[in-house]
Amino acid sequence: MTNIELYDAITNGSDQFSVEELNLELDSRRLTLQQLVKIEADYRTYKAIQQKRIDQPFSPQEYLICFVFPFFTPRPRWRDDHLSLSESERYKKYGLAKNWNNQ
């Protein structure tokens, strides 16, 4: 995890890690007070950009990548992953479901 992702997980909780584990990881990075202040400021910017992105409609390119292109990619027999599945996970992770509902 990046420092900002770690700070986000500490602030909002995590399904994978306990808060104690996350705090131990943050402590192990031995960040200075200035670095912590910068991470907090970067986190606020990150959340503002994330919220702005959620409120924006999809671009035509994003529609193609997320909803059209996956149906035209071959799925090898030896692989379990597929572009549409990975895009779906990304879609859910970054809160883009709100975009789909606003269309």
Side-chain angles (χ1 to χ4, degrees), residues 1 5-29:
M1 279 190 220
E5 290 170 335
L6 181 60
Y7 187 82
D8 183 38
I10 290 170
T11 304
N12 297 316
S14 171
D15 295 337
Q16 297 176 346
F17 305 103
S18 69
V19 175
E20 293 82 21
E21 291 173 318
L22 295 169
N23 280 322
L24 284 173
E25 174 61 27
L26 185 63
D27 291 341
S28 71
R29 296 184 184 192

Side-chain angles (χ1 to χ4, degrees), residues 64-65 68-76 81-85:
L64 287 174
I65 291 172
V68 177
F69 182 67
F71 295 105
F72 296 103
T73 58
R75 182 175 181 177
D81 62 334
H82 194 269
L83 178 64
S84 61
L85 295 176

Side-chain angles (χ1 to χ4, degrees), residues 29-45:
R29 296 184 184 192
R30 300 184 188 270
L31 301 170
T32 66
L33 182 59
Q34 290 175 333
Q35 289 172 320
L36 289 171
V37 169
K38 183 175 181 344
I39 290 169
E40 190 173 335
D42 290 345
Y43 173 73
R44 285 193 301 271
T45 303

Side-chain angles (χ1 to χ4, degrees), residues 40-58:
E40 190 173 335
D42 290 345
Y43 173 73
R44 285 193 301 271
T45 303
Y46 163 77
K47 287 309 246 181
I49 291 170
Q50 187 179 45
Q51 185 60 43
K52 181 180 174 186
R53 179 61 189 112
I54 288 172
D55 294 336
Q56 286 179 341
F58 283 128

